[in-house]
């Protein structure tokens, strides 16, 4: 993580506070006093008073603009007083005076630039956080008959948002779950993810069949690609490459809360197959045999969307969905992260690891440890299972009244 990361600066500033008060002024003040004291107690052949130019430099790194300016003035005044106390032949004179004066001015200017940049970065962080909360909306847990947990890690620590997306949409026809990964990075990927999530939240509520939801997602991705192509440039102002934009995704349908289940429906758009994790073991769902969203037309106009598969899921089993930030995480030798083996060993040692919250944390720690905290791609880990009978049920969403528009 870079030193310009706002979170790193926040931790640094926290270390420079005691009982809520800033003590950032202490290090440069101690350095000022130490240089003056040492210079006053040495021989004329070893003068270090010119080192006092370091004081405003240190202040520029940890203090505000006013504090740095104060230390620049203090350093100059201290230099004059200490140097004047020596005999004329031992004084450092005008050259070092100019050095300290110019050094203080430059340090104050550098501090002003640093503070302005930090404020800009904090503003960008707020924008990124707002964008992330809009695309990846907060969800109560449990919700609509499902317990869930998720971790999202952006490969770009500054942007903190990328092309991975996930959501849960309850409705009168059951609860639908979507996880996907848009090809590419940056704002173009975020725009595509937002378009797909908006469609999913509407179609997942209103459509009775999962196949219809899948069809709506495929159409939406095609429309978004065409829009970007017609626009002539992507959201970052670069030449449009909309014809290349696609997204892998997994669409899942759970039965409505209270309805006996035992099965779920799954549509896989070329994504890594989810894992089913339970006390009895770990198994992978059938691999995705469909093309990613946005590429369905390559298989012909009558190819349609991938088939809806009905697969068993016991009440104590958790569905684990991840993006390629997990499956393609590599160690120093280029070896991929062994996700399934990692989960199998953890569940065998402790069946409670199959709980969504524990499972997500387990995969997160394993991925970061394997890749030594260097993620090459955005990483999403999403685990969901049906709420055990008798457990507290989170609020679902009431049906729309006829003629009333609804936002996801």
């Amino acid at each position: 993580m870079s030193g310009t990361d706002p979170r790193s600066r926040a931790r640094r500033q926290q270390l420079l506070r005691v009982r809520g008060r800033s003590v950032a002024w202490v290090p440069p003040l101690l350095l000022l006093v130490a240089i003056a004291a040492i210079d006053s107690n040495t021989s004329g052949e070893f003068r270090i008073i010119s080192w006092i130019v370091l004081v405003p430099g240190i202040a520029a790194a940890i203090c505000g603009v006013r504090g740095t300016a104060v230390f620049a003035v203090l350093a100059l005044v201290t230099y004059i007083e200490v140097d004047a106390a020596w005999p004329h032949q031992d004084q450092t004179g005008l050259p070092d005076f100019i050095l300290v004066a110019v050094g203080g001015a430059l340090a104050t200017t550098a501090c002003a630039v640093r503070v302005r940049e930090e404020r800009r970065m904090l503003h960008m962080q707020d924008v990124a956080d707002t964008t992330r909360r809009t695309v990846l909306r907060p969800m109560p847990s449990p919700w609509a008959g499902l317990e869930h947990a998720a971790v999202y890690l952006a490969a770009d620590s500054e942007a903190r948002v990328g092309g991975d997306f996930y959501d849960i949409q309850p409705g009168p026809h059951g609860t639908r779950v979507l996880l996907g990964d848009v090809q590419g990075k940056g704002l173009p990927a975020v725009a595509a993810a937002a378009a797909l999530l908006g469609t999913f939240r509407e179609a997942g509520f209103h459509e009775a069949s999962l196949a219809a939801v899948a069809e709506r997602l495929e159409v939406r991705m095609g429309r978004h690609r065409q829009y970007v192509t017609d626009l002539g440039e992507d959201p970052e102002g670069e030449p449009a490459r909309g014809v290349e934009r696609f997204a892998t995704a997994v669409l899942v349908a759970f039965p409505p809360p209270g309805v006996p289940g035992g099965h779920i429906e799954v549509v896989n758009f070329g994504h890594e197959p989810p894992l089913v994790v339970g006390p009895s073991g770990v198994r992978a769902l059938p691999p995705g045999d469909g093309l990613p969203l946005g590429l369905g037309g390559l298989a012909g106009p009558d190819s349609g969307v991938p088939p809806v598969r009905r697969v068993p899921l016991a009440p104590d089993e958790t569905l684990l969905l991840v993006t390629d930030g997990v499956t393609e995480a590599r160690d120093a030798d280029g070896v991929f992260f062994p996700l399934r083996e990692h989960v199998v060993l953890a569940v065998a040692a402790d069946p409670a690891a199959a709980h969504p919250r524990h499972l997500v944390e387990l995969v997160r720690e394993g991925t970061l440890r394997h890749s030594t905290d260097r993620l090459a791609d955005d990483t999403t880990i999403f685990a969901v299972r049906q709420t055990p009978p008798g457990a507290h049920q989170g609020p679902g969403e009431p049906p729309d009244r006829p003629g009333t528009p609804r936002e996801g």
Side-chain angles (χ1 to χ4, degrees):
M1 186 173 295
S2 67
T4 59
D5 184 359
R7 288 170 290 181
S8 298
R9 290 194 301 272
R11 287 192 292 268
R12 182 184 66 197
Q13 292 297 327
Q14 189 64 30
L15 293 175
L16 295 173
R17 302 186 74 86
V18 175
R19 296 181 179 178
R21 295 180 177 274
S22 175
V23 292
W25 53 271
V26 173
L29 180 62
L30 292 177
L31 180 62
L32 176 72
V33 173
I35 291 175
I38 294 173
D39 186 83
S40 300
N41 290 277
T42 57
S43 65
E45 298 177 356
F46 185 70
R47 299 289 310 282
I48 66 168
I49 190 59
S50 59
W51 293 10
I52 209 166
V53 73
L54 297 175
V55 171
I58 297 297
I62 59 178
C63 297
V65 178
R66 291 184 178 179
T68 302
V70 168
F71 276 109
V73 174
L74 283 176
L76 191 60
V77 171
T78 303
Y79 169 82
I80 295 172
E81 293 295 330
V82 173
D83 194 50
W86 284 86
H88 180 74
Q89 65 274 15
D90 293 328
Q91 293 179 1
T92 57
L94 183 62
D96 284 356
F97 173 84
I98 296 175
L99 173 66
V100 175
V102 172
L106 291 177
T108 304
T109 303
C111 181
V113 173
R114 190 210 86 208
V115 170
R116 183 178 62 185
E117 181 66 15
E118 287 185 352
R119 288 174 179 171
R120 187 186 71 84
M121 290 300 298
L122 288 174
H123 174 70
M124 294 301 297
Q125 178 184 342
D126 290 340
V127 171
D129 287 342
T130 301
T131 302
R132 183 177 59 180
R133 287 193 298 268
T134 301
V135 176
L136 304 178
R137 61 180 179 177
M139 295 179 290
S141 183
W143 192 30
L146 298 180
E147 290 182 298
H148 62 88
V151 166
Y152 173 78
L153 303 172
D156 184 348
S157 61
E158 298 293 335
R160 304 179 68 190
V161 66
D164 288 6
F165 58 92
Y166 61 89
D167 201 4
I168 296 175
Q169 181 57 58
H173 309 292
T175 302
R176 276 71 185 265
V177 173
L178 177 68
L179 176 136
D181 180 8
V182 177
Q183 171 264 341
K185 302 180 185 297
L187 290 179
V190 175
L196 289 172
L197 284 173
T199 298
F200 167 72
R201 289 162 185 167
E202 288 301 309
F205 182 89
H206 291 289
E207 299 291 351
S209 73
L210 193 65
V213 179
E215 179 66 28
R216 291 274 297 274
L217 289 172
E218 175 65 33
V219 171
R220 184 67 182 93
M221 190 65 193
R223 289 173 54 204
H224 179 77
R225 283 158 52 110
Q226 188 61 49
Y227 163 76
V228 174
T229 301
D230 293 344
L231 186 65
E233 62 180 27
D234 63 28
E236 291 184 326
E238 298 295 331
R241 297 191 302 161
V243 294
E244 301 178 7
R245 189 72 58 193
F246 62 86
T248 63
V250 178
L251 179 62
V252 184
F254 288 84
V259 175
H263 289 80
I264 57 174
E265 293 181 332
V266 181
V267 178
N268 193 322
F269 293 93
H271 197 82
E272 184 76 16
L275 294 179
V276 176
V277 183
S280 59
V282 179
R283 72 179 191 276
L285 296 187
D289 50 6
L291 292 174
L293 288 165
L295 300 182
L298 298 180
D302 300 325
S303 60
V305 298
V308 177
R309 296 185 180 273
R310 184 176 171 87
V311 298
L313 186 72
D316 60 350
E317 290 183 319
T318 299
L319 195 64
L320 174 64
L321 306 98
V322 301
T323 58
D324 56 10
V326 174
T327 56
E328 296 182 4
R330 301 179 185 233
D331 61 12
D333 298 323
V335 178
F336 290 111
F337 175 55
L339 172 63
R340 183 170 180 174
E341 292 78 2
H342 185 73
V343 174
V344 167
L345 291 175
V347 173
D350 181 11
H355 187 279
R357 185 175 65 255
H358 301 321
L359 188 58
V360 163
E361 189 61 26
L362 168 75
V363 176
R364 174 186 178 275
E365 291 181 357
T367 303
L368 292 175
R369 189 183 308 113
H370 185 81
S371 62
T372 60
D373 292 342
R374 296 180 180 178
L375 299 176
D377 200 357
D378 297 330
T379 300
T380 297
I381 309 162
F382 189 39
V384 59
R385 74 174 180 183
Q386 294 172 292
T387 305
H392 171 69
Q393 296 284 339
E397 293 188 349
D400 291 346
R401 291 179 293 179
T404 303
R406 174 183 175 275
E407 295 183 0

